[in-house]
Every structure is written in C-alpha cells, then in structure tokens.
Amino acid sequence: MLYMVDMTVNLPHDMPADRADDIKAREKAYALDLQRQGKWPHIWRVVGEYRNISIFDAADHSELHQLLSQLPLFPYMVIKVTPLCQHPSSLQAQS
C-alpha cells in the first residue's frame, strides 16, 4: 500500500549541535536502509523548509506507523499521512 507522507522537522533551538548532528546521522542511515528495502521509494525536499514529501510502500497502516515511529527525528516531527490508490487514468491502470 502506498502512502504520501509529509514530514516537517522542528528541532528545539536550544538542542546542542552535537546531539542534533547525531540524530540527523542516525536518521539518514535509517532512511537509506528503508530506501534500499523498497519501503521508502521516493523522498523530495520542500525548498526553503526543513520538510520533505515522501512516498512509503508499507503492507498496511500498522507497518507504516512502525516505520515512521522508528525514525530518530520522529519525536521532533509533525507528520501528515495520506493513503494512496491508483488513479484510473494512470498509464499503469491501462496495462
């Protein structure tokens, strides 16, 4: 099942730089692993914001929640999830 996930990160302004750097490094490693597994096939940065729009491929809502809640930046995120289905006018639907 595909999901569009809009993630906005709000790190505390008083978070020590070394702590923020550690969280970001762990986040990147986890995100790359999910991409290699095919669970996170698309990620786009929103220009000018600490935000991304991503497509996740999870078996169900529970798996998506598990994937998202394990993100190291999860405690500092506002996340909006939109489940997706194929549009009948897409090329893939015509096959």
Side-chain angles (χ1 to χ4, degrees):
M1 184 169 197
L2 296 179
Y3 299 87
M4 181 181 72
V5 181
D6 184 332
M7 295 181 263
T8 301
V9 179
N10 297 301
L11 289 175
H13 297 294
D14 59 349
M15 179 180 281
D18 59 335
R19 178 161 160 70
D21 291 344
D22 175 65
I23 293 169
K24 291 175 192 177
R26 289 185 292 118
E27 179 86 6
K28 182 175 182 177
Y30 181 60
L32 290 171
D33 184 49
L34 291 178
Q35 289 174 67
R36 287 183 190 102
Q37 293 178 45
K39 296 291 182 182
W40 194 339
H42 300 281
I43 181 170
W44 296 276
R45 175 167 291 195
V46 176
V47 176
E49 298 181 48
Y50 197 172
R51 179 175 165 216
N52 74 74
I53 304 293
S54 294
I55 302 297
F56 279 79
D57 189 353
D60 54 31
H61 302 334
S62 294
E63 182 186 21
L64 178 67
H65 181 76
Q66 178 187 14
L67 295 173
L68 295 175
S69 64
Q70 291 180 15
L71 288 165
L73 285 170
F74 181 78
Y76 309 102
M77 289 182 172
V78 174
I79 299 175
K80 180 181 175 190
V81 174
T82 305
L84 301 173
C85 64
Q86 192 169 59
H87 194 285
S89 295
S90 74
L91 286 174
Q92 289 81 10
Q94 305 306 310
S95 306

